[in-house]
Amino acid sequence: MSGKIVKAIKISTPNFLIVGGGIIGLSSALELARRGASVTVLERGACGSESSWAGGGILSPLLPWNYPAAVTNLTQLSCQIYAEWAGHIAGISGLDPEYRRSGMLVLPEFDSGRAMNWGRSHQARIELVQKRDRLPEVVGDGEALWLPDVAQVRNPRLIKALRLTLERMGVRILEHVEVAGIVAGGGRLVRLDTSVGPFEADQYVVAAGAWSKKLLGEQGVQVDIKPIRGQMLLYRAQPGLLRHIVLQNGFYLIPRDDGHILAGSTLEDAGFDKSTSEEVRSGLHANAISLLPQLAQAELVKHWAGLRPGSPGNIPVIACHPKIENLYLNSGHFRYGVTMAPASARILANRIFRREQPFDVSPYHWPEIKKH
Ligand SMILES: Cc1cc2nc3c(=O)[nH]c(=O)nc-3n(C[C@H](O)[C@H](O)[C@H](O)COP(=O)(O)OP(=O)(O)OC[C@H]3O[C@@H](n4cnc5c(N)ncnc54)[C@H](O)[C@@H]3O)c2cc1C
């Protein structure tokens, strides 16, 4: 040793730093790692413990015919690739995310003409059926819309499987690391300041859900993402009591393999407050037993709230910052982030690696301040 002081050489600067370990951050990490990138995920708590845990896991918009093309394109691409995507994750992790094509029955009121037209023009099977033929266990008679291809995942299990898959693929996941600020200079992001010190990378992806705008600070003033609270109930019932997802006037029941049934949900503009209320609990419970009276005897095991990353028109931002060339945002998936995750990750990676996109992705641009 010569005694000369040598400056530390960084052997492996991660190519990508992703902020947020929800379904969007983790699926972005998977897509980037699959394309050969080196990826680190920074998560302030435990991965998937926010909205991605709180959600229901229905893989479809609730009434898909009521949404613009920007939502349809993203959700339909996801639905096309979900089975293979979930299978890949299950294969590597050895954990079953319970991807199931359980079908969804929509009870009145609905515009059947509009729904059937939409189904025909989007190659989505929608049938007008008698409710009693399809789901006799649910109260009421008359016509219903049957969407046989609607699937679901058990989102907490999907997150667990996804996290393990990423670790096995060599993605670094750092939990309990909070990003406190982003530092930009010369048209580039230069570092993230975190609770355990600074982090640097070549490229940065913010996927911090309802907190994305807060985290971006002055770099995100134009971004319109805000928390929208949703409360949910969970029952423990007999397996097979309810066979399909059922939806009426925005209220739904989702059956899981082991007999658990989720009942949700609310849409509340309450800021970053995740508390639950007794009033909502009894409202959701009343709705649940009016559809499926046997739930009155089932154990109500849990009541929770999560914060969706709300966005205008339910259209996320999947784009590069207009002035910071290495800062990307994948956020604002609002009511359908679990559904949109694999397609959003693909769109993001296509943008980053300048690959052809499967459809018009201009609606997911990073909004700029309008000049007068
Ligand atoms: C009640 C309810 C029902 C839902 N039902 C469905 C459904 O049936 N189907 C569907 O497709 N979608 C559903 N959703 C929506 C879906 O859950 C969300 O769109 C999706 O989870 C958003 O994922 P995300 O990764 O962007 O956000 P999140 O899961 O909230 O993840 C963001 C992560 O970023 C982390 N983070 C934030 N700030 C920082 C920071 N400064 N530093 C480090 N980490 C940070 C957070 O801790 C969090 O883990 C539902 C949501 C709710 C609440």
Side-chain angles (χ1 to χ4, degrees):
M1 290 283 287
S2 66
K4 216 164 60 179
I5 296 171
V6 182
K7 209 171 158 222
I9 296 167
K10 235 184 270 163
I11 296 167
S12 70
T13 304
N15 287 326
F16 286 89
L17 272 172
I18 297 180
V19 186
I23 184 86
I24 299 299
L26 297 183
S27 53
S28 302
L30 177 64
E31 186 65 29
L32 293 169
R34 268 174 146 185
R35 298 192 192 200
S38 151
V39 184
T40 298
V41 177
L42 304 178
E43 164 56 49
R44 146 190 96 174
C47 283
S49 56
E50 293 288 354
S51 189
S52 300
W53 178 90
I58 302 172
L59 300 181
S60 169
L62 294 181
L63 299 175
W65 45 91
N66 283 348
Y67 286 90
V71 171
T72 302
N73 285 339
L74 212 46
T75 51
Q76 284 210 313
L77 175 59
S78 266
C79 291
Q80 282 159 24
I81 61 183
Y82 229 105
E84 185 272 332
W85 189 74
H88 174 77
I89 292 164
I92 296 185
S93 65
L95 300 173
D96 180 8
E98 292 187 24
Y99 171 87
R100 302 284 183 267
R101 210 163 278 184
S102 51
M104 179 164 77
L105 195 73
V106 180
L107 304 182
E109 293 185 359
F110 47 72
D111 181 340
S112 57
R114 187 180 168 135
M116 309 289 275
N117 278 339
W118 183 90
R120 273 189 292 274
S121 56
H122 291 86
Q123 291 79 49
R125 289 197 292 162
I126 301 179
E127 299 160 21
L128 198 58
V129 296
Q130 287 300 316
K131 193 214 70 59
R132 91 179 88 82
D133 296 340
R134 186 57 62 184
L135 216 49
E137 59 267 39
V138 161
V139 165
D141 249 330
E143 291 185 326
L145 291 172
W146 171 236
L147 284 67
D149 298 320
V150 170
Q152 60 162 294
V153 283
R154 198 152 178 171
N155 32 311
R157 297 197 180 178
L158 173 65
I159 290 285
K160 210 170 158 190
L162 190 47
R163 190 188 182 293
L164 190 56
T165 297
L166 291 172
E167 281 181 341
R168 293 194 169 158
M169 290 173 71
V171 171
R172 234 174 21 136
I173 298 178
L174 304 178
E175 294 182 316
H176 308 290
V177 174
E178 178 157 14
V179 178
I182 63 172
V183 182
R188 290 184 64 78
L189 205 66
V190 290
R191 65 166 200 275
L192 300 176
D193 287 333
T194 81
S195 51
V196 297
F199 279 79
E200 290 173 16
D202 303 323
Q203 310 277 349
Y204 300 80
V205 178
V206 170
W211 298 267
S212 292
K213 182 178 169 72
K214 212 178 192 180
L215 172 70
L216 287 165
E218 64 180 28
Q219 306 304 344
V221 281
Q222 331 80 302
V223 170
D224 196 358
I225 295 175
K226 66 172 184 176
I228 299 291
R229 185 167 69 192
Q231 297 190 43
M232 190 92 98
L233 301 183
L234 179 70
Y235 297 89
R236 187 176 293 128
Q238 289 295 329
L241 174 65
L242 179 69
R243 286 163 298 141
H244 311 301
I245 299 164
V246 59
L247 168 70
Q248 185 163 43
N249 296 328
F251 174 80
Y252 51 74
L253 295 174
I254 309 170
R256 302 296 200 210
D257 279 3
D258 60 3
H260 281 98
I261 294 178
L262 290 106
S265 63
T266 56
L267 281 170
E268 303 166 69
D269 190 350
F272 289 96
D273 177 4
K274 274 197 299 181
S275 56
T276 55
S277 73
E278 182 51 36
E279 193 192 343
V280 167
R281 195 196 71 84
S282 40
L284 290 174
H285 185 59
N287 281 342
I289 57 176
S290 75
L291 272 182
L292 192 60
Q294 293 95 319
L295 284 179
Q297 276 81 53
E299 184 192 354
L300 202 173
V301 282
K302 214 171 166 79
H303 174 201
W304 66 81
L307 300 179
R308 306 175 183 90
S311 57
N314 211 120
I315 301 171
V317 176
I318 312 171
C320 186
H321 188 283
K323 299 211 169 67
I324 302 177
E325 63 182 26
N326 59 344
L327 172 59
Y328 292 84
L329 180 60
N330 189 7
S331 194
H333 298 78
F334 200 2
R335 303 194 77 180
Y336 306 122
V338 180
T339 309
M340 290 172 165
S344 301
R346 190 179 280 189
I347 300 298
L348 174 78
N350 286 344
R351 272 200 195 270
I352 291 172
F353 296 116
R354 298 181 199 285
R355 295 286 185 274
E356 200 184 327
Q357 296 287 11
F359 46 76
D360 174 21
V361 297
S362 60
Y364 318 117
H365 70 283
W366 194 309
E368 289 195 65
I369 296 170
K370 291 195 178 68
K371 292 192 183 80
H372 295 285

